[in-house]
Each structure stands twice: as structure tokens, then as C-alpha cells.
Amino acid sequence: HLDWNNPAELVPPHGESFADHADRVAGAIERLSAHYAGRSIVAVTHAGAIRAAIAYALELDVAMALRIEVAPVSLTRLTHRVSDGVASWSVGAINLEVRI
């Protein structure tokens, strides 16, 4: 039985929920941000990971992130800053058109 009232917790057969996926994305962001502090990181990924990263950056409930539309072949820019020992994130772009 699927509970469409709580889509972030839905688990498809042999899969994981979006909430679990978002936890994995958050862990990766934290590890990579610490390892590459002060440097740029480029990640080529699918819309679900982008939604999860935006939720992480903006401290959104992951269920809210499912409302974010991510265009194919688009650019999303997240910026991590540390000032006086306090880390913060900003979202510089979502769905920026990329011409190929």
C-alpha cells in the first residue's frame, strides 16, 4: 500500500525512499565539502540528488524538496561559506539553461 500523503517516505520495491536518498546526499555533501574546503566541486547527477542537495542547503524538509522542478541538462549552483567559524549555504541558481 502506497501512502501518497507522505511521498518522501515511499519505498518502491527494491529501492529506497527519497528521505533515505536525501540522507545519503547530505552525507556526501558534508564529506566532500570538508575534504575540498575552499575549492569548487562539480557534480553531474540526476534531479533527485539535486532536489536533495537544495533541501540540504536551504534546510528544507525533504518532502518539500519534491516540489522543486529540476530541468534536464540544467545547472544548479550551491555555495558553501564559512565566516567566523559559522558555515552557511546559498543557492545561486536552479535550472540555469546549459547550451550544448
Side-chain angles (χ1 to χ4, degrees):
H1 180 275
L2 298 177
D3 180 7
W4 289 108
N5 295 315
N6 194 4
E9 298 297 333
L10 287 176
V11 181
H14 311 291
E16 69 180 338
S17 70
F18 180 69
D20 290 339
H21 175 72
D23 285 344
R24 286 192 306 110
V25 169
I29 289 171
E30 290 171 2
R31 285 189 306 279
L32 291 169
S33 296
H35 189 274
Y36 295 104
R39 297 165 68 191
S40 296
I41 300 169
V42 175
V44 178
T45 188
H46 60 84
I50 294 167
R51 286 182 189 97
I54 293 168
Y56 177 82
L58 296 179
E59 300 177 6
L60 295 176
D61 179 86
V62 293
M64 296 296 288
L66 290 172
R67 298 179 181 183
I68 299 169
E69 293 183 20
V70 177
V73 194
S74 64
L75 177 87
T76 296
R77 187 179 69 241
L78 306 176
T79 303
H80 181 250
R81 293 181 178 85
V82 179
S83 178
D84 296 327
V86 177
S88 65
W89 286 89
S90 63
V91 178
I94 300 174
N95 291 329
L96 190 63
E97 184 178 341
V98 177
R99 297 187 189 272
I100 50 175

